Amino acid sequence: MIGYEPAIEVKMQRLFASLSEKDRRRYAGIEAAKLGHGGIDYIARLFALDPKTIRRGQLELDATDDPAADRVRKKRWGPENGA
């Protein structure tokens, strides 16, 4: 069985939750690549992601340029933002 210790998983999940959508995809892609065979499925379960999202993150990391380098989605207006 591949994977990390539970204490490390908790820290990874905390970090993941603090990232932007694009950075989440890329972080998940890196972690899955580090694990090798079965990594995508493990990371998909750990972060509750679709495996396609992880593969997209890996493709973005493989690209030589980032057409959306300066784009980050704005947070929606809601109670957590003072609405």
Side-chain angles (χ1 to χ4, degrees):
M1 170 82 186
I2 63 166
Y4 297 101
E5 295 179 15
I8 297 297
E9 288 181 344
V10 169
K11 291 177 184 180
M12 291 171 67
Q13 290 167 330
R14 272 193 227 135
L15 172 62
F16 181 81
S18 73
L19 299 173
S20 70
E21 182 178 338
K22 179 172 70 172
D23 291 337
R24 286 179 182 192
R25 280 193 306 271
R26 293 174 176 196
Y27 175 56
I30 287 172
E31 289 297 334
K34 285 177 12 183
L35 294 170
H37 181 73
I40 289 177
D41 290 333
Y42 171 78
I43 295 298
R45 285 190 306 276
L46 180 64
F47 295 143
L49 288 175
D50 188 310
K52 291 179 199 172
T53 301
I54 297 170
R55 285 190 282 278
R56 180 177 171 197
Q58 290 176 329
L59 289 172
E60 290 173 357
L61 289 166
D62 289 339
T64 56
D65 65 329
D66 182 1
D70 298 332
R71 287 182 34 195
V72 175
R73 283 191 188 193
K74 293 181 181 179
K75 293 194 181 221
R76 294 181 60 186
W77 191 254
E80 66 279 357
N81 299 31

